[in-house]
């Protein structure tokens, strides 16, 4: 029995890999910060590397967050519930 009226739309779902998507990504330009900005960078202090090294990850983010100025207090330091899509 043939149906009359609008034909039904068929939606095809195609799996796409990250590699296929990455082929179409454009390279982003990199802008060097001004020399004045680089001169005041905190990374010249070896104590910074001790505080925020990989061996202190992710707990070091609590201390890092305390250094920053916030418009409102932070609630979550690092959300690892949906790895590798961390927030």
């Amino acid at each position: 029995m043939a149906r009359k009226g609008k034909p039904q739309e068929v939606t095809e779902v195609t799996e796409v890999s990250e590699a296929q998507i990455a082929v179409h990504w454009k390279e982003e330009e990199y802008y060097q910060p001004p020399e004045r900005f680089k001169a005041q960078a905190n990374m010249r202090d070896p104590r910074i590397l001790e505080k925020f090294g990989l061996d202190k990850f992710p707990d070091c983010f609590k201390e890092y967050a305390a250094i920053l100025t916030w418009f409102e207090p932070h609630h979550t330091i690092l959300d690892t519930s949906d790895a590798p899509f961390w927030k």
Side-chain angles (χ1 to χ4, degrees), residues 3 13-14 30 33 39 42 47 51 54-55 57 61 64 71:
R3 295 179 76 156
V13 178
T14 306
Y30 183 76
N42 294 327
R47 293 176 297 173
K51 288 182 180 181
L54 289 177
D55 59 326
F57 180 83
F61 281 100
Y64 184 69
F71 292 111

Side-chain angles (χ1 to χ4, degrees), residues 18-68:
E18 280 192 44
Q20 290 170 310
I21 294 170
V23 169
H24 300 283
W25 287 340
K26 292 183 180 179
E27 284 290 323
E28 295 179 15
E29 291 184 48
Y30 183 76
Y31 297 95
Q32 289 288 335
E35 291 301 321
R36 183 174 170 200
F37 180 82
K38 289 188 218 178
Q40 63 84 41
N42 294 327
M43 291 303 293
R44 298 180 190 275
D45 185 347
R47 293 176 297 173
I48 295 294
L49 295 175
E50 292 169 9
K51 288 182 180 181
F52 303 111
L54 289 177
D55 59 326
K56 307 263 193 294
F57 180 83
D59 293 328
C60 62
F61 281 100
K62 292 177 188 173
E63 186 172 347
Y64 184 69
I67 293 172
L68 300 175

